[in-house]
């Protein structure tokens, strides 16, 4: 009985243990299922994330490409701007191409560059630039240019840019790639308005995918180079013209200097001659005058009236001759610089007053009115008194001579820019315009009725001119025929 | 005072004139009475490189010249694509240094050449404690990782080393390494320093993982054959929705912008590998080694993450420099190795990175640097014990202070 109970108890325990195990197993199984499902979800999430990662990478690579392209464009534009500035300020043809440097090329996305201009005289392409090429590679290109000059000249003639994009394989793209050693390339014509034309080549290796934007950049650059060439040539032309002009001016100046020297030499010879002749004349004149005086004074016996009259004429003419000789001597002395002007401060008012005293008698005799209008505030002048008095006497004497009765002579003085200007005007017969130019020439006399009757040497005004100029002054005349003349001269004033 | 520096830069087109201008500037900035011992030279491709190093030697006498060609020189004044940059270092006697070089790397194999290079550097250094190494190597060497492994065999795997892979003008054809009066391709040169030298190093890229994690299921050296048991290139075909031919055409862009990131436990950032080629069998040829069974992700970079990484790199270098001294030391100069991938990604904004570096180091500190095809630098987490790896897409900043 006990054993039966024990068996039952054991069975019961076994059954409950089995039940517990079953419950645990069921629970574990549930957890495993849950975990499996969690792992599956995680795996799925991971796969989804991986798919998202792929999307991110694809988007990122596209973005990077766009960014690169944008960066390239910006860098290219910046390089183009720098290059344009450098080129446009260059005024020497050869230097324009030298401004293109490897860093510009790289910023524009290229590795190689060369430029050639067609020289019509030499009948060949001349190299102006090569970057990224060895010497022998440049020679190879030159040889190809010589061989296929028609093709390259056509690019220039048609003003057309070609590139590895626009040029088809059969049109020689591969061949050009071989010649210029570049897979991607742009050739753009350089078309200045004047002078040699040509083209510029930009190339890069296989890594550089050329875009139409790159082509545009090169066209812009080629235009810039063309414009710079025009500027440089214009500048050179202008510069050459200026040089030639300067040379001509120099030549003419030299010729004029020689001519002036010649004139001076002739003038000096003339002055020396006049001086010598005058001296030589004065000695016999003095004798003639002396003997005439002895005879007139009847120291050698009484003379018949007719003889005396003739002798007086000899004496008078001799006096005129002496005056003339003296004037000539004065002129030649002043010209030769032998007569030093004793420049001291002088009062024009006082000087004119004393000269007017002398001339007043002639005026009264001829019933001519003499007026002086000289302001009190007039500054003093630097002058040699005796010489300037000669000037006044000469000019006033002429005025009296050519002014008819009831006429008027006016002496005016004014101040202007460190000088004093004196005008002597008359209401005389005046002069014709052509006489104005020659009036100060030696021995020139205006052809008019008065001069035909009144004697004169033609040396008065030249002497006056020499005296004024020796004072660093200026003399000139204005005149209206039939109305009168005005002689004006200036003298340096004391400030 | 351990190392003083003077910077000179010239953009003159004439090689001799450019060198003269840069050297005179550098001498003037270093100080008239401070004799230079080492010249670090970076130059763009178009200069006459041999004339350049010979002119430097003739102007400065028997000093150690180290450097390499690049696509653009970085300095305080900006980023110059056509320039020669020279930094003259005056290393006082309490700081030890030795220089060396190795040529014919391909013939010797990168690993062996690395070992020989390490030995040469050590021979010059004798028994003094070595603290820092700077290496410039040809950017066209296939297995550059092996060159580092070779160097590490001799100098120790945790020895802090920074390096740059020389560049050409993005033609991927030939690069130059300068050592004293020689100019070589297929070569490397370097400098190790010890004694009183205080420096800080920061290296970051800023590329972020994208998509689901995958595993390299078959690889050897720098070739990844299979990812998740399918040809490695298929992953890229799938992501970019293109076939193998199209992929090849866009390889430079894809390989640079979307490199493979190797997950390194404990490291803040993934170790990046640029794709340099695609095999006929759909394998990916990478710039550095990739171990089998590595967990990898496809990586993506943006301008913003790039700038942040540059700031992080220079700040990390500053913290590193501070950690070694009781007070914040004066920075004597900064050396920047910047991946060309970053330049391509940043485009016209590239100078912003330089601005971040200049802002962090402060005014008056000479900064010189170059763009590279790859950078070498240590991983910092404890797991890697400062072991040096080849990196891609990084900006590495070395600050040397008082």
């Amino acid at each position: 009985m006990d054993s039966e109970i024990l068996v039952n108890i054991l069975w019961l325990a076994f059954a409950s243990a089995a039940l517990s195990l079953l419950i645990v197993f069921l629970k574990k199984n549930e957890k495993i299922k849950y975990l499996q499902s969690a792992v599956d979800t995680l795996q799925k999430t991971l796969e989804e994330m991986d798919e998202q990662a792929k999307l991110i990478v694809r988007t990122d690579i596209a973005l990077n490409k766009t960014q690169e392209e944008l960066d390239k464009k910006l860098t290219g534009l910046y390089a183009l701007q720098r290059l344009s500035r450098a080129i446009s300020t260059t005024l020497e043809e050869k230097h324009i191409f030298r401004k293109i440097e490897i860093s510009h090329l790289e910023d524009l996305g290229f590795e190689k560059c060369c430029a050639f201009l067609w020289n019509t005289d030499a009948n060949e392409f001349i190299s102006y630039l090569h970057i990224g090429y060895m010497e022998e590679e440049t020679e190879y290109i030159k040889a190809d240019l010589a061989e296929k000059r028609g093709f390259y000249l056509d690019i220039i003639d048609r003003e057309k840019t070609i590139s590895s994009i626009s040029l088809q394989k059969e049109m020689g793209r591969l061949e050009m790639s071989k010649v210029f050693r570049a897979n991607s390339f742009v050739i753009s014509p350089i078309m200045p308005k004047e002078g040699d034309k040509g083209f510029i080549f930009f190339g890069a290796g296989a890594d550089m995918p050329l875009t139409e934007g790159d082509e545009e950049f090169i066209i812009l650059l080629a235009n810039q180079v063309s414009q710079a060439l025009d500027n440089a040539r214009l500048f050179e032309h202008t510069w050459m013209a200026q040089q030639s002009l300067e040379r001509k001016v120099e030549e003419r100046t030299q010729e004029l200097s020689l001519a002036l020297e010649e004139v001076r030499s002739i003038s000096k010879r003339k002055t020396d001659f006049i001086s010598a002749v005058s001296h030589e004349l004065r000695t016999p004149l003095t004798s003639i005058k002396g003997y005439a005086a002895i005879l007139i004074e009847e120291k050698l016996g009484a003379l018949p009236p007719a003889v005396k009259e003739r002798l007086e004429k000899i004496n008078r003419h001799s006096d005129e001759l002496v005056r003339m000789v003296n004037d000539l001597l004065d002129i030649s002395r002043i010209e030769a610089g032998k007569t030093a002007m004793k420049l001291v401060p002088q009062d024009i008012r006082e000087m004119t007053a004393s000269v007017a005293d002398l001339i007043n008698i002639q005026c009264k005799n001829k019933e001519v009115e003499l007026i002086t209008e000289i302001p009190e505030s007039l500054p003093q002048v630097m002058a040699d008194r005796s010489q300037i008095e000669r000037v006044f006497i000469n000019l006033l004497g002429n005025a009296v001579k050519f002014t008819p009765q009831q006429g008027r002579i006016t002496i005016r003085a004014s101040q202007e820019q460190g000088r004093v200007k004196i005008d002597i005007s008359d209401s005389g017969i005046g002069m014709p315009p052509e006489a104005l130019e020659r009036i100060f020439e030696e021995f020139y006399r205006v052809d008019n009725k008065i001069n035909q009757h009144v004697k004169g040497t033609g040396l008065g005004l030249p002497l006056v001119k020499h005296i004024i100029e020796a004072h660093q002054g200026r003399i000139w005349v204005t005149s209206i025929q039939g109305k009168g003349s005005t002689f004006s001269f200036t003298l340096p004033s004391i400030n | 005072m351990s190392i003083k520096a003077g910077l000179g830069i010239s953009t003159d087109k004439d090689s001799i004139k450019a060198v003269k201008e840069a050297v005179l500037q550098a001498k003037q900035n270093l100080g008239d009475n401070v004799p230079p011992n080492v010249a670090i030279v970076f130059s763009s491709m178009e200069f006459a490189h041999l004339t350049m190093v010979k002119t430097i030697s003739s102007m400065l006498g028997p000093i150690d010249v180290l450097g390499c060609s690049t696509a653009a020189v970085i300095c305080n004044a900006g980023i110059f694509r056509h320039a020669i940059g020279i930094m003259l270092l005056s290393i006082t006697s309490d700081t030890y240094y030795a220089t060396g070089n190795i040529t014919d790397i391909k013939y010797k194999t990168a690993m062996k050449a690395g070992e020989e290079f390490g030995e040469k550097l050590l021979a010059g250094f004798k028994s003094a404690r070595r603290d820092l190494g700077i290496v410039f190597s040809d950017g066209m060497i296939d297995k550059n990782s092996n060159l580092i492994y070779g160097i590490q065999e001799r100098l120790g795997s945790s020895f802090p080393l920074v390096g740059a892979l020389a560049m050409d003008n993005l033609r991927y054809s030939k690069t130059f390494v300068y050592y004293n009066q020689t100019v070589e391709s297929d070569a490397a040169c370097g400098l190790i320093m010890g004694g009183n030298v205080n420096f800080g190093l920061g290296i970051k890229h800023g590329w972020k993982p994208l998509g689901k994690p995958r595993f390299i299921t078959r690889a050897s050296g720098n070739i990844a054959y299979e990812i998740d048991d399918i040809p490695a290139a298929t992953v890229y075909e799938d992501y970019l929705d293109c076939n193998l031919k199209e992929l090849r055409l866009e390889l430079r862009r894809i390989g640079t912008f979307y490199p493979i990131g190797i997950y390194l436990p404990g490291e803040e950032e993934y170790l990046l590998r640029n794709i340099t080629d695609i095999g006929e069998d759909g394998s990916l040829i990478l710039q550095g080694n990739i171990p089998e069974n590595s967990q990898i992700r496809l990586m993506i970079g943006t301008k913003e993450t790039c700038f942040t990484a540059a700031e992080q790199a220079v700040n990390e270098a500053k913290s590193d420099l501070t950690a070694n001294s009781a007070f914040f030391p004066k920075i004597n100069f900064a050396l920047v190795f910047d991946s060309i991938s970053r330049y391509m990604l940043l485009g016209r904004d590239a100078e912003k990175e330089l601005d971040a570096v200049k802002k962090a180091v402060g005014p008056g500190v000479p900064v010189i640097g170059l763009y590279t095809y790859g950078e070498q630098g240590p991983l910092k987490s404890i797991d890697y014990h400062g072991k040096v790896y080849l990196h891609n897409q990084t900006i590495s900043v070395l600050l040397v202070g008082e």
Side-chain angles (χ1 to χ4, degrees):
Chain A
M1 187 67 194
D2 282 351
S3 61
E4 200 174 306
I5 292 168
L6 194 67
V7 169
N8 284 336
I9 289 168
L10 280 172
W11 268 112
L12 202 64
F14 178 75
S16 56
L19 191 68
S20 303
L21 273 173
L22 184 70
I23 293 165
V24 168
F25 175 75
L26 285 171
K27 279 195 172 173
K28 284 279 178 194
N29 199 29
E30 202 176 314
K31 198 169 185 182
I32 285 167
K33 273 187 182 167
Y34 172 73
L35 283 174
Q36 184 60 50
S37 137
V39 167
D40 287 348
T41 312
L42 210 63
Q43 188 69 36
K44 199 177 167 218
T45 313
L46 213 56
E47 290 297 334
E48 281 170 1
M49 269 175 59
D50 207 41
E51 287 304 314
Q52 286 167 2
K54 287 172 191 170
L55 278 177
I56 291 171
V57 170
R58 286 166 204 171
T59 315
D60 189 62
I61 203 162
L63 271 174
N64 270 331
K65 275 185 185 173
T66 316
Q67 178 75 47
E68 258 178 50
E69 193 64 28
L70 211 64
D71 268 5
K72 200 178 133 192
K73 285 276 174 291
L74 275 173
T75 316
L77 269 175
Y78 182 60
L80 202 64
Q81 187 204 12
R82 273 184 299 146
L83 202 50
S84 297
R85 201 181 304 143
I87 286 174
S88 60
T89 52
T90 309
L91 289 170
E92 225 173 301
E93 205 171 316
K94 288 243 169 190
H95 287 183
I96 292 169
F97 291 97
R98 279 186 216 153
K99 295 282 172 186
I100 301 173
E101 294 174 3
I102 182 89
S103 61
H104 297 122
L105 248 66
E106 285 176 354
D107 285 348
L108 287 164
F110 292 93
E111 294 160 3
K112 295 167 181 210
C113 176
C114 55
F116 294 89
L117 296 187
W118 174 256
N119 187 303
T120 35
D121 295 333
N123 206 31
E124 63 174 347
F125 279 105
I126 307 287
S127 169
Y128 276 72
L129 166 80
H130 54 94
I131 301 174
Y133 288 105
M134 314 258 257
E135 206 55 51
E136 61 266 25
E137 289 174 329
T138 314
E139 289 306 317
Y140 184 70
I141 295 169
K142 275 188 194 166
D144 192 69
L145 291 181
E147 194 186 323
K148 296 180 207 139
R149 65 177 62 170
F151 172 77
Y152 294 103
L153 285 174
D154 191 50
I155 295 175
I156 301 167
D157 288 344
R158 287 193 295 137
E159 298 183 24
K160 195 170 186 306
T161 297
I162 59 168
S163 73
S164 48
I165 305 174
S166 63
L167 210 62
Q168 299 301 312
K169 275 186 189 174
E170 60 272 22
M171 294 281 287
R173 192 179 87 196
L174 294 177
E175 209 171 328
M176 290 205 75
S177 289
K178 197 181 144 206
V179 172
F180 289 93
R181 287 166 201 256
N183 290 327
S184 306
F185 59 84
V186 183
I187 299 179
S188 196
I190 296 171
M191 306 296 298
K193 286 179 193 132
E194 302 284 334
D196 295 345
K197 294 174 169 59
F199 65 84
I200 192 160
F201 172 95
F202 281 84
D207 294 345
M208 186 221 178
L210 191 72
T211 64
E212 280 170 8
D214 297 318
E215 212 176 305
E216 286 291 320
F217 276 178
I218 302 307
I219 294 171
L220 272 173
L221 183 62
N223 288 343
Q224 194 75 43
V225 171
S226 310
Q227 212 164 6
L229 279 176
D230 271 334
N231 290 345
R233 284 167 187 173
L234 186 68
F235 175 77
E236 198 178 338
H237 183 75
T238 314
W239 191 76
M240 294 287 274
Q242 192 195 333
Q243 286 294 100
S244 143
L245 198 69
E246 269 177 27
R247 245 192 333 270
K248 274 183 189 162
V249 167
E250 205 171 310
E251 278 169 18
R252 294 287 176 276
T253 310
Q254 209 167 2
E255 280 171 20
L256 282 171
S257 295
L258 288 172
L260 186 67
E261 206 53 46
E262 183 69 22
V263 166
R264 275 187 186 145
S265 158
I266 291 168
S267 171
K268 189 177 179 298
R269 281 211 301 275
K270 181 200 81 178
T271 309
D272 289 349
F273 172 75
I274 290 171
S275 177
V277 168
S278 307
H279 273 292
E280 290 306 313
L281 280 173
R282 222 154 59 154
T283 316
L285 262 175
T286 313
S287 300
I288 293 167
K289 245 184 87 68
Y291 288 124
I294 291 167
L295 288 172
I296 289 167
E297 283 166 16
E298 295 180 335
K299 283 182 181 169
L300 299 175
L303 298 172
V307 174
K308 201 173 180 180
E309 190 188 330
R310 302 293 188 279
L311 275 171
E312 271 167 359
K313 270 192 180 177
I314 290 173
N315 197 28
R316 206 167 52 245
H317 286 294
S318 297
D319 279 345
E320 275 171 20
L321 212 54
V322 166
R323 262 203 310 281
M324 189 192 268
V325 167
N326 282 344
D327 278 353
L328 273 172
L329 267 173
D330 282 345
I331 289 171
S332 60
R333 275 197 202 118
I334 293 168
E335 265 186 356
K338 283 178 187 164
T339 305
M341 297 293 151
K342 291 169 198 155
L343 300 181
V344 286
Q346 300 289 348
D347 190 338
I348 290 289
R349 275 169 71 88
E350 195 195 314
M351 216 187 293
T352 45
S354 85
V355 175
D357 276 348
L358 288 173
I359 218 84
N360 248 335
I361 304 154
Q362 292 177 45
C363 289
K364 276 181 183 164
N365 288 344
K366 212 174 171 185
E367 293 176 25
V368 169
E369 188 186 6
L370 181 66
I371 304 162
T372 50
E373 291 176 6
I374 296 170
E376 279 182 29
S377 60
L378 196 74
Q380 288 188 313
V381 293
M382 288 301 286
D384 183 324
R385 183 164 181 137
S386 64
Q387 298 292 348
I388 295 303
E389 277 180 354
R390 273 176 93 174
V391 170
F392 272 111
I393 289 166
N394 242 302
L395 294 177
L396 287 169
N398 281 345
V400 174
K401 191 160 103 181
F402 295 109
T403 304
Q405 277 189 334
Q406 314 302 325
R408 192 168 50 193
I409 294 169
T410 314
I411 306 170
R412 285 192 191 87
S414 59
Q415 190 186 356
E416 54 174 43
Q417 293 172 344
R419 294 177 174 275
V420 164
K421 188 176 89 152
I422 296 124
D423 302 304
I424 296 170
S425 311
D426 61 56
S427 55
I429 59 168
M431 284 177 275
E434 63 273 15
L436 298 180
E437 289 170 16
R438 301 190 58 195
I439 191 81
F440 294 107
E441 283 179 18
E442 284 150 26
F443 302 111
Y444 178 79
R445 298 192 77 215
V446 180
D447 186 14
N448 56 34
K449 279 181 185 170
I450 296 174
N451 269 347
Q452 282 165 10
H453 297 293
V454 182
K455 286 181 182 171
T457 59
L459 287 170
L461 285 176
L463 181 67
V464 162
K465 186 170 185 277
H466 278 100
I467 292 169
I468 294 300
E469 283 174 356
H471 279 81
Q472 309 301 320
R474 203 164 73 81
I475 184 162
W476 67 97
V477 63
T478 53
S479 179
I480 298 169
Q481 219 165 356
K483 297 254 170 134
S485 305
T486 300
F487 281 82
S488 306
F489 62 92
T490 61
L491 289 170
S493 68
I494 300 167
N495 291 323
Chain B
M1 201 177 294
S2 59
I3 306 173
K4 281 193 82 177
L7 174 70
I9 184 99
S10 175
T11 53
D12 199 299
K13 284 175 214 159
D14 183 280
S15 298
I16 294 176
K17 280 186 194 165
V19 171
K20 282 185 176 169
E21 187 184 13
V23 168
L24 290 176
Q25 263 181 39
K27 272 181 81 174
Q28 198 178 4
N29 290 332
L30 184 65
D32 288 337
N33 301 319
V34 187
N37 327 85
V38 174
I40 293 176
V41 182
F42 303 130
S43 153
S44 48
M45 284 303 280
E46 72 277 15
F47 289 102
H49 302 267
L50 195 60
T51 309
M52 185 177 77
V53 290
K54 287 195 183 292
T55 310
I56 294 171
S57 294
S58 72
M59 286 179 81
L60 297 171
I63 72 162
D64 292 292
V65 177
L66 298 139
C68 61
S69 60
T70 180
V73 179
I74 299 168
C75 71
N76 297 65
I79 296 166
F80 298 94
R81 285 186 306 166
H82 302 281
I84 292 176
I86 295 175
M87 186 171 271
L88 293 179
L89 302 180
S90 177
I91 306 173
T92 48
S93 56
D94 55 348
T95 304
Y96 316 112
Y97 76 95
T99 64
N101 77 321
I102 183 79
T103 56
D104 302 319
I105 296 173
K106 281 175 194 159
Y107 172 73
K108 289 169 184 166
T109 74
M111 184 76 187
K112 292 277 178 208
E115 286 174 17
E116 193 187 322
F117 185 28
E119 272 166 25
K120 275 190 180 178
L121 287 170
L122 274 182
F125 211 65
K126 294 172 187 154
S127 58
R129 198 193 74 176
R130 49 193 184 270
D131 291 324
L132 171 69
I134 301 169
V135 171
F136 303 109
S137 53
D138 183 351
M140 305 315 292
I141 299 168
D142 292 338
K143 293 172 181 169
N144 205 287
S145 292
N146 290 352
L147 185 75
I148 305 168
Y149 297 153
I151 298 170
Q152 283 171 343
E153 280 293 314
R154 291 293 176 269
L155 296 181
S157 59
S158 295
F159 172 63
L161 190 83
V162 282
L165 268 62
M167 269 197 81
D168 57 7
N169 41 2
L170 276 166
R171 304 274 169 91
Y172 299 92
S173 68
K174 193 169 194 167
T175 72
F176 298 110
V177 173
Y178 316 134
Y179 182 64
N180 295 337
Q181 292 194 43
T182 65
V183 175
E184 300 273 354
S185 294
D186 192 25
C189 70
L191 160 84
I192 56 171
M193 288 190 278
N196 185 15
V197 52
N198 187 14
F199 68 92
L201 184 65
I203 180 160
K204 285 275 182 288
H205 54 70
W207 260 248
K208 300 292 173 197
L210 194 73
K212 66 179 184 185
R214 293 163 194 276
F215 289 90
I216 298 289
T217 44
R218 193 157 72 87
S220 166
N222 65 328
I223 305 171
Y225 291 101
E226 287 177 6
I227 296 171
D228 290 345
D229 297 318
I230 51 168
T234 313
V235 176
Y236 277 89
E237 288 176 58
D238 192 22
Y239 267 88
L240 297 161
D241 192 23
C242 63
N243 58 34
L244 211 57
K245 195 181 164 194
E246 290 166 331
L247 195 61
R248 278 207 179 91
L249 281 174
E250 290 278 352
L251 189 65
R252 286 289 170 215
R253 187 195 307 275
I254 293 162
T256 304
F257 290 164
Y258 314 104
I260 283 176
I262 306 170
Y263 174 67
L264 302 172
E267 283 290 323
E268 269 179 52
E269 291 192 311
Y270 285 64
L271 181 65
L272 301 189
R273 288 286 174 257
N274 276 356
I275 305 159
T276 57
D277 207 353
I278 297 170
E280 287 302 317
D281 53 357
S283 58
L284 298 175
I285 293 117
L286 309 170
Q287 210 171 6
N289 287 2
I290 188 159
E292 216 166 70
N293 298 320
S294 313
Q295 186 188 323
I296 58 144
R297 301 285 288 276
L298 185 81
M299 305 296 286
I300 188 166
T302 66
K303 286 188 180 186
E304 284 65 35
T305 58
C306 254
F307 295 139
T308 312
E311 281 168 1
Q312 284 172 345
V314 66
N315 286 325
E316 193 177 285
K318 270 175 84 175
S319 312
D320 209 11
L321 188 68
T322 321
N324 297 332
S325 53
F327 53 91
F328 190 80
K330 179 179 174 287
I331 302 170
N332 287 340
F333 71 93
L335 203 56
V336 179
F337 300 157
D338 205 350
S339 167
I340 190 64
S341 309
R342 304 175 77 82
Y343 186 78
M344 285 159 74
L345 182 74
L346 294 174
R348 294 167 59 82
D349 292 324
E351 287 217 4
K352 284 190 186 169
E353 270 198 333
L354 174 63
D355 292 341
V357 173
K358 285 198 292 188
K359 191 180 165 196
V361 297
V365 175
V367 177
I368 194 168
L370 78 160
Y371 279 98
T372 74
Y373 278 146
E375 310 78 46
Q376 293 134 347
L379 293 175
K380 292 210 167 173
S381 73
I382 299 165
D383 295 354
Y384 293 93
H385 308 289
K387 196 174 172 185
V388 177
Y389 279 85
L390 173 75
H391 301 259
N392 284 136
Q393 270 79 0
T394 62
I395 176 168
S396 70
V397 181
L398 173 71
L399 302 179
V400 175
E402 295 285 322

